[in-house]
Amino acid sequence: MCSLASEGKILVMVSLAISTMFTGKGEFTPSLMTTSSRKGTKSITTALEEAIEKSKIFIIVLSENYASSSFCLNELTHILNFTKEKNDVLVLPVFHKVNPSDVRHHRGSFGEALANHEKKLNSNNTEKLQTWKMALHQVSNISGYHFQDDGNKYEYKFIKEIVEWVSSKVNRDHLHVSDVLVRLESPMLEVKLLLDVGRDDVIHMVGIHGLDEVGKRSLAVAVYNSIGGHFEASFFLGNVRGTSNEINGLEDLQSIILSKTVGEIKLTNWREGIHIIKRKLKGKKVLLILDDVDEQTQLQAIIGSLDWFGSGTRVIITTRDEHLLALHNIKITYKVRELNEKHALQLLTRKAFELEKEVDPSYHVLMIWQVHQMSK
């Protein structure tokens, strides 16, 4: 079944085999709405499809009997298909008293449930069975929470961790992006494709380069706002060039990263900071953006190499110097180009006239002349 909860303006969907309710005594008990209350319901309804499309966070509670419900498997498949190309939605698997590897490799209760489904499905429905298997494999590869019934943790503490995780994503601060920037959506999608955020088994560094005042920072901010919720921690280090030129500038930039992950640490020099960052962030999946980099020392002090960070980490560097990216062995790059005449007119319309729609055509000649003057 699915359960919807509203956090501010963010809709959170919970998918599970049996609706559970916390008793307050360190355990879960089934509520009145169970899988049996939907007996005969196997397909995804239009109402559920609409609920999925409105949701921004999906919590998939994988318990021992999850795979025995064809409804749950259909729901899971639909959720994963919906979120596949979307970086602004989050999927959190919760492995409740099940081993993620059993989900991934269809062992234990998951293997038994799939074998039972195979017996019931006719030969024309083997494709559906394969789709369910792929969905279980896919969700098991997403970073999530694992509750083991070993007595080391009370369930109420486990629930609290999940609630805090959701709250951190819902209440995450967004950086300001200039509302006069035009043609941002297409470049943002292209950069997000380069980042390949859905994969947690790799670490990517992407360089965004181009001339001054072409929107490199605004593009990086827009991407940061869009995908930041996918990471354990996210950092936007603005004006790296200016800060690093100050006394103890590199140490200050390193301290910003460390303060958001392990607390305040007084660094004596930036080389010491390298060792601490490597040690503290080694297993963390983070998003790190360095804006306006102009020297390789800045990259060496803050992001070093891929093995400094945990799997799933993404790093974005903005710079005017494409050669600098090559020096640091950053092979994935994106060039921000100057505005063409059409987009320049749109920008001038918004900035000068504070309008979203086009101005009177009689002004076009004057505006085109102004655009060309500004581009000289």
Side-chain angles (χ1 to χ4, degrees), residues 344 347-348 351 367-376:
L347 178 58
L348 183 61
K351 189 70 174 177
M367 291 175 64
I368 291 173
W369 175 83
Q370 183 64 41
V371 165
H372 286 292
Q373 290 297 113
M374 292 169 64
S375 64
K376 289 181 179 179

Side-chain angles (χ1 to χ4, degrees), residues 26 30 36 108 159 164 191 273 279 284:
S36 61
I159 297 170
E164 289 174 349
V191 171
R279 188 171 71 251
K284 291 187 179 294

